[in-house]
Amino acid sequence: MISPAVEIANPEADPTSQIVGRKMTSSKDKSIDESSMDLKKVMAMIGAFYWLVMTALVVPVACVASCVLFVTPLLLFSRRLFNRWEHRLCRMVNDHWVSAGQYTGLNVVEYGDDIAKISEKRCLFLANHLGLVDHFILMTAMHNKYNLTGRYLWVIYNIWKYTPLGMMWTAHGNFFVNGGASKRASVLSTFREHLRKHYWKQDYGFIVMYPEGSRLFIIKDSAARFAEKNGLKPLKNCAHPRTGAAHAVLAECGPMPGRDNALEYVIDCTLGYPKGEVVELGKAMAGEWPNDDTTVAIHYRIHKVDPAWADEKELQKWLYARYEEKDQLLEEYYKTGRFDNSARRVYFPFSRVIIVQAFWMVLFYGHYLLWMKPVTVFGYRLLMSLLF
């Protein structure tokens, strides 16, 4: 017969010991899980830092320097030759942004009309604006549309103008908008002049803009006031577009007697995030997507340019109707997770990511050896000679 003392001394027979043991095991498992999560966060932060430095510094500097030193001199020989190589460089910039999007896990699914069929045409591309990740989404969607990404012109809010990114976009010929009703007339006048000087000379195709003016969460209240003031139907998932810039494009680049190679189409692009939960750029770079769903949808509708839109009132009426449709499209997408049954996934091979990153790192290092290092050394020696 086994004594009670022996039974108590046996841990397996002691309920208290079993509970303590389970708690210790649970604590160890929890500690391992937390360590694993911490490691993932550290790796995500390192990756995000890499893409930040590459996107905001390395690529812009290498791109602008290459334009100045290698591409611009081609103008001495041929404008067409200059455009060809400048567009190729622009495509490599676009593919870098696509690569950054791939790092976040971004998946883009297209619906509606196939814009690849008109990617070589001159078009006005109008997209609703939800978040900073929108830029990565559009560049991803456009990357496999032949030469589209080399020949697009973006209309961008001027917060980026005086950064390395802004310098790069300026070198390509993108236009920066300095918002505000008080500056509307002067900005539109400058924009028209920009189009007249550069649109055909630099052989642009698509003009890309967000006609709502800013990201939806920023302008939602002002958009509601705008709708109420103008007797418009309030929109839930997007905002009524401002038509000034779009009208300027159609007036300067649209079809008219005596104008060759005019802009032919308007593309109504609808961006949608799963369940309407727009991911912040920082969280996307850290891999923290809402509900871990990284699939974003784009819906296209292609419209032939109507000469009646030369009248801004007619264009405004037409665009307001399109954005009411867009609002309904988004409402349906947020409920069902799809726009229709025409889903087409956009594919970007990992091998292309490697090629693009290697290209920009080698190019930047080449510029470092060619002029950055000598200039830095010269500046340092000059400073030392002045001080001592």
Side-chain angles (χ1 to χ4, degrees):
M1 181 176 177
I2 302 175
S3 67
V6 174
E7 290 179 351
I8 293 173
N10 182 0
E12 295 182 359
D14 183 3
T16 304
S17 298
Q18 291 178 2
I19 293 171
V20 172
R22 284 196 295 270
K23 286 184 176 180
M24 291 177 65
T25 303
S26 176
S27 297
K28 288 180 180 179
D29 292 342
K30 186 177 180 180
S31 177
I32 292 172
D33 290 342
E34 288 178 350
S35 298
S36 178
M37 289 178 63
D38 289 342
L39 180 60
K40 288 180 180 178
K41 286 183 178 180
V42 170
M43 295 301 293
M45 289 177 65
I46 293 172
F49 179 75
Y50 165 81
W51 290 105
L52 174 64
V53 172
M54 287 293 293
T55 304
L57 182 64
V58 172
V59 172
V61 170
C63 180
V64 172
S66 297
C67 279
V68 172
L69 296 177
F70 307 132
V71 180
T72 300
L74 295 176
L75 287 170
L76 297 172
F77 304 97
S78 166
R79 163 63 66 172
R80 179 177 291 183
L81 187 62
F82 166 83
N83 287 341
R84 182 186 304 167
W85 284 99
E86 196 279 332
H87 293 168
R88 288 182 178 180
L89 197 61
C90 183
R91 287 182 66 184
M92 293 301 291
V93 172
N94 185 92
D95 283 0
H96 168 76
W97 281 63
V98 179
S99 300
Q102 295 301 295
Y103 168 78
T104 71
L106 176 65
N107 291 307
V108 177
V109 179
E110 297 178 311
Y111 294 84
D113 297 335
D114 183 5
I115 65 170
K117 296 177 181 178
I118 59 168
S119 62
E120 300 293 324
K121 303 292 185 179
R122 300 190 190 277
C123 307
L124 174 59
F125 187 98
L126 304 176
N128 59 308
H129 199 8
L130 299 172
L132 291 177
V133 179
D134 294 356
H135 310 313
F136 296 86
I137 296 168
L138 293 183
M139 289 180 177
T140 299
M142 293 174 177
H143 90 90
N144 61 348
K145 308 298 190 294
Y146 306 106
N147 293 320
L148 192 164
T149 56
R151 298 178 61 231
Y152 55 26
L153 182 157
W154 286 69
V155 181
I156 312 166
Y157 188 56
N158 76 338
I159 189 174
W160 308 106
K161 187 172 184 178
Y162 301 106
T163 67
L165 277 173
M167 293 171 58
M168 177 179 68
W169 289 334
T170 299
H172 176 63
N174 292 342
F175 184 79
F176 291 88
V177 175
N178 187 5
S182 62
K183 299 180 180 179
R184 183 178 188 272
S186 62
V187 169
L188 290 178
S189 176
T190 305
F191 183 41
R192 284 171 176 259
E193 183 180 354
H194 183 84
L195 292 171
R196 287 193 294 268
K197 287 177 62 177
H198 300 288
Y199 186 63
W200 286 279
K201 185 171 70 174
Q202 294 187 218
D203 192 29
Y204 293 123
F206 277 41
I207 299 176
V208 183
M209 66 174 68
Y210 302 108
E212 293 161 306
S214 187
R215 287 163 280 166
L216 181 62
F217 78 93
I218 295 175
I219 62 170
K220 199 155 193 175
D221 291 340
S222 62
R225 292 193 298 270
F226 177 84
E228 183 179 4
K229 178 181 177 181
N230 292 277
L232 300 170
K233 177 183 176 181
L235 303 180
K236 177 182 176 183
N237 304 300
C238 58
H240 289 93
R242 305 302 188 260
T243 57
H247 180 256
V249 170
L250 293 173
E252 295 297 333
C253 307
M256 65 178 298
R259 178 176 289 165
D260 297 327
N261 297 319
L263 190 143
E264 299 180 62
Y265 300 96
V266 174
I267 299 171
D268 179 15
C269 170
T270 303
L271 284 171
Y273 291 77
K275 299 180 181 179
E277 298 180 14
V278 180
V279 65
E280 296 176 9
L281 179 57
K283 289 187 176 181
M285 296 305 296
E288 299 174 0
W289 289 72
N291 305 307
D292 291 327
D293 191 347
T294 63
T295 299
V296 179
I298 299 182
H299 183 276
Y300 305 113
R301 281 190 178 138
I302 300 173
H303 303 273
K304 188 78 173 177
V305 172
D306 188 338
W309 299 338
D311 181 345
E312 187 171 356
K313 290 293 183 182
E314 289 297 319
L315 175 63
Q316 187 180 76
K317 181 180 177 181
W318 182 79
L319 279 177
Y320 286 171
R322 300 291 74 74
Y323 269 70
E324 288 182 12
E325 292 177 359
K326 187 188 297 288
D327 193 59
Q328 291 301 314
L329 266 176
L330 286 167
E331 186 70 21
E332 183 66 20
Y333 171 71
Y334 294 152
K335 289 178 181 177
T336 64
R338 62 183 184 181
F339 284 116
D340 54 39
N341 295 320
S342 62
R344 306 179 299 275
R345 187 172 295 276
V346 178
Y347 177 66
F348 190 79
F350 182 72
S351 59
R352 182 65 177 170
V353 175
I354 300 300
I355 291 170
V356 170
Q357 296 312 297
F359 171 83
W360 286 114
M361 285 190 281
V362 169
L363 188 61
F364 183 85
Y365 185 67
H367 283 293
Y368 168 76
L369 295 178
L370 181 63
W371 62 271
M372 291 183 199
K373 183 178 179 180
V375 168
T376 303
V377 171
F378 174 77
Y380 174 77
R381 289 176 177 173
L382 179 62
L383 179 62
M384 290 298 101
S385 65
L386 292 174
L387 292 176
F388 304 104

